[in-house]
Amino acid sequence: MKFVAYARDKQGTGASRRLRISGKVPGIVYGAGEPVTIELDHNALFHALKKEAFHSSLLDMELAGKSQQVLLRDVQMHAYKPQVLHVDFQRVDATTRIQKKVPLHFVNEENAPGVKTDKGVMSHVVTDLEIECLASQLPEFLTVDLGHLGKGQSLHVNDLKLDAGIKVVLRGRKNPVIATVVAQAAEEAQPEVVAVAAPAAAPAKGKKDEKQNRK
């Protein structure tokens, strides 16, 4: 993906506030050289942030007529307004080794025996993973095939088929679960309704007295 940034000279709280009022977003680019302060069009950036690839892939940033590859590293949003307050980018090249979270795309879930045959439910335990690789190898997402899972079975990190040079950053965790097939929750039993016959109505008092008088 490609976006355009502009050099920003003025810094400080007041300058950033005036920049936001004018429809711009302050930002910074660091790594592989001196940090550079930049500004971006707010609306263009806001719509780009809605795209998954903008968060998890290499981006081509055009600055002062030159293109360079960067990664989105941090986004600061307003507490309650749909407004971007600040962005951080990291400048990279093909030899830069990076760590980055990438989303998981699950496929063949509906064909898994535990779902299709045993009527289980697929539970996605995690939806993204942090990986380490060269910047040139960074995938936009990881594909996770769930088509072989049976009821009660799970897929772990070690089950993933990753390209050479890409590894998952576990941070002390041992082969965590990514997805598992669980049984559907049993429906709550409906309370049994027992029909009770209504008691026979007692004869009216007037009719009872009439019968006794006839005797």
Side-chain angles (χ1 to χ4, degrees):
M1 294 184 65
K2 187 175 182 178
F3 68 97
V4 179
Y6 305 91
R8 175 168 57 99
D9 298 326
K10 297 181 180 180
Q11 301 181 40
T13 304
S16 295
R17 185 183 301 112
R18 289 189 293 272
L19 200 64
R20 296 182 186 109
I21 293 174
S22 66
K24 305 292 183 180
V25 179
I28 188 170
V29 182
Y30 59 84
E34 292 295 322
V36 177
T37 53
I38 59 173
E39 62 182 64
L40 303 93
D41 178 78
H42 179 273
N43 289 342
L45 177 61
F46 186 80
H47 289 295
L49 288 170
K50 294 181 179 180
K51 299 178 181 180
E52 183 181 76
F54 197 78
H55 294 261
S56 59
S57 60
L58 288 179
L59 307 172
D60 292 319
M61 181 185 72
E62 182 181 327
L63 178 64
K66 296 181 180 180
S67 181
Q68 49 191 298
Q69 289 192 315
V70 298
L71 283 172
L72 177 65
R73 280 304 189 185
D74 188 49
V75 181
Q76 296 177 26
M77 300 293 297
H78 193 280
Y80 56 88
K81 294 180 182 178
Q83 181 183 11
V84 186
L85 299 180
H86 194 275
V87 286
D88 292 2
F89 295 97
Q90 179 188 356
R91 191 185 297 110
V92 298
D93 57 32
T95 62
T96 306
R97 194 159 187 87
I98 59 173
Q99 292 184 351
K100 182 75 173 174
K101 277 190 175 183
V102 294
L104 303 180
H105 285 192
F106 298 98
V107 297
N108 291 328
E109 178 176 329
E110 67 282 1
N111 295 322
V115 174
K116 188 174 183 179
T117 304
D118 298 328
K119 307 303 180 182
V121 176
M122 189 71 70
S123 173
H124 300 163
V125 180
V126 295
T127 56
D128 58 40
L129 285 173
E130 185 177 7
I131 63 171
E132 181 180 332
C133 63
L134 292 174
S136 58
Q137 294 180 297
L138 181 66
E140 184 178 327
F141 56 84
L142 296 177
T143 300
V144 182
D145 190 345
L146 302 175
H148 64 284
L149 291 182
K151 186 176 180 180
Q153 293 182 333
S154 300
L155 185 138
H156 297 73
V157 165
N158 290 351
D159 300 321
L160 294 177
K161 296 179 180 179
L162 303 175
D163 293 338
I166 298 177
K167 68 177 184 179
V168 178
V169 180
L170 297 177
R171 301 192 183 282
R173 297 172 298 169
K174 293 184 178 180
N175 199 21
V177 174
I178 294 176
T180 185
V181 182
V182 297
Q184 291 192 39
E187 296 183 1
E188 293 184 4
Q190 295 296 326
E192 184 178 356
V193 179
V194 179
V196 179
K205 185 177 180 181
K207 292 183 177 181
K208 183 178 180 181
D209 295 341
E210 183 179 350
K211 290 180 180 179
Q212 290 178 347
N213 292 337
R214 289 179 181 175
K215 292 180 181 180

